[in-house]
Amino acid sequence: MNSCRKDQQLGASSSEPLKVIIIGNGPSGICLSYLLSGYTPYVKPDAIHPHPLLQRKLAEAPGVSILDQDLDYLSEGLEGRCQSPVALLFDALLRPDTDFGGNMESVLTWKHQKERAISHVVLGRNLPGGAWHSIEGSMVTLSQGQWMGLPDLEVKDWMRRKRRGLRNSRATAGDIAHYYRDYVTKKGLGHNFVSGAVVTAVEWGTPEPSSSGAQDPRPLFQVSGFLTTEDQCQQPFSLYAHNVVLATGTSDSPARLGIPGETLPFIHHELSALEAATRAGTVSPASDPVLIIGAGLSAADAVLYARHYNIPVIHAFRRTVDDPGLVFNQLPKMLYPEYHKVHQMMREQSILSPSPYEGYRSLPEHQPVLFKEDRQAMFQGPTGLQKVFGVSLVLVLIGSHPDLSFLPGAGADLAMDPSQPLSAKRNPIDVDPFTYQSTQQEDLYAVGPLAGDNFVRFVQGGALAVASSLLRKEARKPP
């Protein structure tokens, strides 16, 4: 007998279409929900933007919401740390002079206009905040705390109310995860969010003619999956929608080396495995070294974590230490002293030379070849020479891929280059830059890392573009 109770938040699976389903409840999904809930940005009447060209354009349409203006026109001529013109525009409106070290307040004011709201539901595996709830809480964010905020609730103000402080202008991952949950509550968005929802299939096709004989020419999407209830039962659901927004991020599927032995039980692909092993006492200062593979920020976080607990580390990576593509060579030292310390160790602590830092050795330009059951790891160096090391635990932290297995063909046909794997950095979903609608599938949108926007600071521009597009569709509908 099935003892699962029905969760009323999704309601019974129904063929009555929703206007919008957002898959993913991280910063992108939260920001889009805010915009679709009737919260509307206007330029403050007395605001003067420091960018002269943008200020002139804003002055041409006083009293007109940013959502109702031509985003292509407004964003033309803006430059910054992002390829997306709308992301640069929204960032410039929210944080006008932040790239010049200023802290000028936003030129936007927000009005809650309920008549502009578009009904929607946000499906997420975790609590609102998405993958931020999976990051070790004491880790400090890469971006400055002020860049992690969502519209109309600054992180620094939220932190002040919580009597928390920013460390070197940056916040902890635990603080940011809490901030995103709080944001959903404070802005009254909670009724749109369904946590514990796993989407297993998204299909699209032409809907059947209605009873009147008329047929909507737009495709209808069917979103299926299951909801894990509080009593750990899995309740299936199937929903229909006119528009679907992909906002799942990229942390679902860790990248793998593809070498023999990678499936052995002491090989892991998430930092949480090191945290668990440390708590359990299976790794300690007296154990064999932990092997950390990778040269990105996740690998650096693992090194910092291990060093904090005096756990010996072997750190292997395939690039040279001075490779300009290495993320450490792109970060200002003043803002990121701990990451530059790791970079310094990577440079100075070669396994082949004496070590001033006890308990850390680096293996630059080394490729792992295989792992053995007796916890031996074999590497090949730049000269072709092979080396073997005994290890207690292996962390393979070489990036991650989005998991779009719920889409037809796992979403491969949606990528910029359909012949290559989908990748947030190298091969994102191909979207229109001013609507974020897929160039391959009408009424399917992608935001955040899936569309190539990899920082919270810039994902909000994608949400602005989607909201603007959906509002225009609503306005075109016959009464």
Side-chain angles (χ1 to χ4, degrees), residues 1 57 108 143 146 177 374 383 427:
M1 178 180 169
K57 291 177 180 178
L108 297 179
S143 296
Q146 62 180 351
D374 60 354
T383 63
N427 192 31

Side-chain angles (χ1 to χ4, degrees), residues 307 313 315 317 319-322 326 328 333 339-364:
R307 295 284 294 165
V313 170
H315 185 192
F317 44 96
R319 296 176 186 253
T320 62
V321 176
D322 296 313
L326 212 62
F328 307 104
K333 291 184 181 180
Y339 288 134
H340 279 278
K341 184 66 174 177
V342 173
H343 192 206
Q344 181 184 349
M345 290 164 60
M346 289 164 67
R347 177 180 284 112
E348 297 177 1
Q349 304 318 120
S350 169
I351 199 94
L352 306 174
S353 63
S355 169
Y357 296 101
E358 187 179 350
Y360 175 90
R361 290 287 191 279
S362 73
L363 280 177

Side-chain angles (χ1 to χ4, degrees), residues 163-352:
R163 303 198 172 162
R164 303 276 296 164
L166 294 173
R167 194 177 109 196
N168 201 15
S169 298
R170 292 151 69 202
T172 67
D175 284 333
I176 295 302
H178 189 186
Y179 164 83
Y180 291 140
R181 283 183 64 187
D182 248 21
Y183 186 91
V184 169
T185 302
K186 288 182 183 299
K187 297 302 182 183
L189 310 178
H191 63 283
N192 300 315
F193 282 73
V194 181
S195 299
V198 176
V199 174
T200 55
V202 175
E203 298 165 308
W204 50 83
T206 306
E208 293 295 316
S210 66
S211 56
S212 64
Q215 185 166 314
D216 187 338
R218 294 168 58 195
L220 199 63
F221 296 88
Q222 182 179 8
V223 178
S224 306
F226 60 86
L227 191 66
T228 303
T229 59
E230 288 178 5
D231 46 7
Q232 298 305 304
C233 290
Q234 291 186 352
Q235 172 191 326
F237 66 82
S238 182
L239 304 169
Y240 289 88
H242 291 293
N243 301 275
V244 166
V245 184
L246 304 174
T248 54
T250 64
S251 59
D252 289 320
S253 181
R256 297 180 181 272
L257 295 164
I259 63 172
E262 194 171 5
T263 58
L264 288 169
F266 64 95
I267 316 293
H268 302 276
H269 297 81
E270 293 175 346
L271 176 57
S272 57
L274 177 58
E275 297 163 9
T278 305
R279 285 194 297 270
T282 52
V283 298
S284 70
S287 63
D288 281 337
V290 169
L291 171 61
I292 298 168
I293 299 174
L297 297 176
S298 295
D301 285 338
V303 170
L304 291 167
Y305 186 91
R307 295 284 294 165
H308 179 75
Y309 289 99
N310 296 316
I311 296 165
V313 170
I314 295 175
H315 185 192
F317 44 96
R318 59 185 174 82
R319 296 176 186 253
T320 62
V321 176
D322 296 313
D323 187 319
L326 212 62
V327 69
F328 307 104
N329 293 318
Q330 302 167 25
L331 297 176
K333 291 184 181 180
M334 290 293 290
L335 272 181
Y336 307 102
E338 75 278 36
Y339 288 134
H340 279 278
K341 184 66 174 177
V342 173
H343 192 206
Q344 181 184 349
M345 290 164 60
M346 289 164 67
R347 177 180 284 112
E348 297 177 1
Q349 304 318 120
S350 169
I351 199 94
L352 306 174

